[in-house]
Amino acid sequence: DGGITQSPKYLFRKEGQNVTLSCEQNLNHDAMYWYRQDPGQGLRLIYYSQIVNDFQKGDIAEGYSVSREKKESFPLTVTSAQKNPTAFYLCASSILGSSDTQYFGPGTRLTVL
Amino acid sequence: GENVEQHPSTLSVQEGDSAVIKCTYSDSASNYFPWYKQELGKGPQLIIDIRSNVGEKKDQRIAVTLNKTAKHFSLHITETQPEDSAVYFCAASTGGTSYGKLTFGQGTILTVHP
């Protein structure tokens, strides 16, 4: 089956720790995105990547980092510098250049204890 | 940058009634407008989208209309069913052949009562 997978589904972190959220897609999409969703709010863009080894900051990149070493993978690290990391994190991908349609993964819920 | 406003924030209807959710956008260069449905604890799923070269698009019980002059677009769901209950998000993008940033509305919680 083609699609986007995110792991883990739930993640708990102690304050001061870095954590990495996984996102993998087998849709052969060039572009990948990370969004943050807080209760009662829309999705806010953290980082995006159009090609391997290149990525750009979105609207709320502070306290986050990413890498894009492979086309299929776009992991997100939530660092200890992120002051309020508890949220639902969504990864998405799209075909670059032919459509803006973004397809989302199932999400990872991060809770800071 | 682009700003997308979505109304209402909550919508409650009886099964079989119609539901309408409206969004306005600020950037006249926006040309792609998707709608997503998100069920509790899951990722958003694209349900319909429209591009600026058309004014209306239908897919069974779902339709989207676009008014470029007024810079607003709407989602129409007819003959609503309990399984339509979810959070619906609109979004707008400038699109094109390069990266098109999606700006999302705040979401509408739709509840369909049996």
Side-chain angles (χ1 to χ4, degrees):
Chain A
D1 289 338
I4 304 172
T5 58
Q6 291 186 241
S7 62
K9 186 172 178 63
Y10 300 97
L11 186 57
F12 298 90
R13 189 195 93 175
K14 293 182 180 179
E15 285 192 20
Q17 288 182 336
N18 293 353
V19 290
T20 298
L21 284 58
S22 170
C23 178
E24 305 277 335
Q25 56 97 2
N26 60 5
L27 300 168
N28 200 32
H29 286 173
D30 289 301
M32 297 187 73
Y33 315 82
W34 274 104
Y35 291 90
R36 171 182 172 138
Q37 186 176 29
D38 293 286
Q41 297 189 30
L43 282 67
R44 293 182 291 168
L45 183 65
I46 304 172
Y47 267 99
Y48 65 96
S49 170
Q50 296 175 269
I51 57 173
V52 173
N53 293 321
D54 185 59
F55 47 83
Q56 304 295 328
K57 293 182 178 180
D59 298 321
I60 56 166
E62 185 175 354
Y64 301 98
S65 66
V66 294
S67 63
R68 187 86 186 275
E69 297 178 1
K70 298 186 299 182
K71 185 176 183 178
E72 313 81 51
S73 179
F74 191 40
L76 173 74
T77 297
V78 184
T79 74
S80 57
Q82 170 49 237
K83 300 304 180 186
N84 185 21
T86 295
F88 192 47
Y89 290 88
L90 290 158
C91 178
S93 70
S94 68
I95 302 171
L96 187 64
S98 61
S99 169
D100 292 311
T101 302
Q102 293 186 20
Y103 299 92
F104 284 83
T108 292
R109 185 165 299 281
L110 173 63
T111 302
V112 174
L113 304 174
Chain B
E2 175 68 278
N3 183 51
V4 177
E5 296 287 335
Q6 183 172 346
H7 298 282
S9 56
T10 60
L11 179 59
S12 182
V13 300
Q14 290 295 127
E15 182 176 2
D17 288 349
S18 295
V20 180
I21 303 170
K22 298 181 179 181
C23 290
T24 60
Y25 61 98
S26 60
D27 189 346
S28 57
S30 290
N31 58 8
Y32 174 63
F33 307 92
W35 284 90
Y36 288 88
K37 174 184 179 182
Q38 185 177 28
E39 297 178 345
L40 191 62
K42 297 184 179 180
Q45 298 294 311
L46 180 73
I47 56 172
I48 196 166
D49 56 11
I50 191 168
R51 299 186 187 275
S52 58
N53 56 346
V54 297
E56 183 176 4
K57 184 177 178 180
K58 290 183 179 180
D59 183 3
Q60 300 183 352
R61 298 186 295 109
I62 295 174
V64 56
T65 58
L66 172 65
N67 184 324
K68 289 174 58 180
T69 303
K71 291 191 284 189
H72 68 71
F73 56 111
S74 300
L75 177 71
H76 304 254
I77 305 175
T78 60
E79 301 174 17
T80 53
Q81 302 168 2
E83 50 265 40
D84 293 329
S85 296
V87 182
Y88 291 81
F89 290 97
C90 64
S93 170
T94 53
T97 56
S98 60
Y99 166 72
K101 175 185 174 181
L102 277 180
T103 301
F104 285 84
Q106 296 84 355
T108 296
I109 302 173
L110 174 64
T111 304
V112 180
H113 299 282

